[in-house]
Amino acid sequence: MVFVLIFAMGLLVFLNRYAFLEPRLPLRLSSNARQFLGFAVPGMLTAICGPIVFLPEHQLNLSPANPYLLGSLLAVGLVLWTRNTLLSMLLSMAFFFVYRWWLNGSP
């Protein structure tokens, strides 16, 4: 039953995407709808990352001892400075893991 449900959800997502990507289908979005959908990805990323960054132990944590907050601030700063997503992601992840290791008491 679980596999049927997973397959059905995958098929639904595929058909949803296919309807907009297939050039032979007469389905077109207006410019207002395309502009509105441009906010979907940043909104979804904020909804996913916000609780992880600001509420790591299910409590608001804005202290410098929060590696999630400092790592995300560094990632945003690096993306704005370098305009290189891959480099920014790798450097901010390295900072996050080293800082978290250092906070937990390096041997």
Side-chain angles (χ1 to χ4, degrees), residues 28-52:
R28 298 288 177 255
L29 292 175
S30 68
S31 64
N32 288 340
R34 278 186 270 142
Q35 185 180 9
F36 178 72
L37 288 175
F39 294 107
V41 173
M44 186 174 50
L45 285 174
T46 302
I48 293 170
C49 297
I52 295 169

Side-chain angles (χ1 to χ4, degrees), residues 2-87:
V2 173
F3 290 113
V4 172
L5 186 60
I6 290 172
F7 180 75
M9 289 188 314
L11 184 65
L12 181 68
V13 169
F14 171 76
L15 291 175
N16 186 17
R17 304 280 190 262
Y18 181 76
F20 293 108
L21 295 176
E22 176 57 42
R24 293 178 296 211
L25 290 177
L27 182 61
R28 298 288 177 255
L29 292 175
S30 68
S31 64
N32 288 340
R34 278 186 270 142
Q35 185 180 9
F36 178 72
L37 288 175
F39 294 107
V41 173
M44 186 174 50
L45 285 174
T46 302
I48 293 170
C49 297
I52 295 169
V53 170
F54 296 110
L55 307 167
E57 284 92 26
H58 302 290
Q59 188 174 7
L60 184 63
N61 185 357
L62 299 175
S63 73
N66 181 356
Y68 297 97
L69 180 62
L70 292 181
S72 62
L73 289 175
L74 179 67
V76 169
L78 284 171
V79 165
L80 292 174
W81 183 52
T82 64
R83 301 284 185 203
N84 188 335
T85 306
L86 180 61
L87 177 66

Side-chain angles (χ1 to χ4, degrees), residues 57 65 67-68 96-107:
E57 284 92 26
Y68 297 97
F96 170 78
F97 286 117
V98 168
Y99 188 62
R100 193 174 69 168
W101 172 74
W102 181 73
L103 283 176
N104 289 334
S106 58

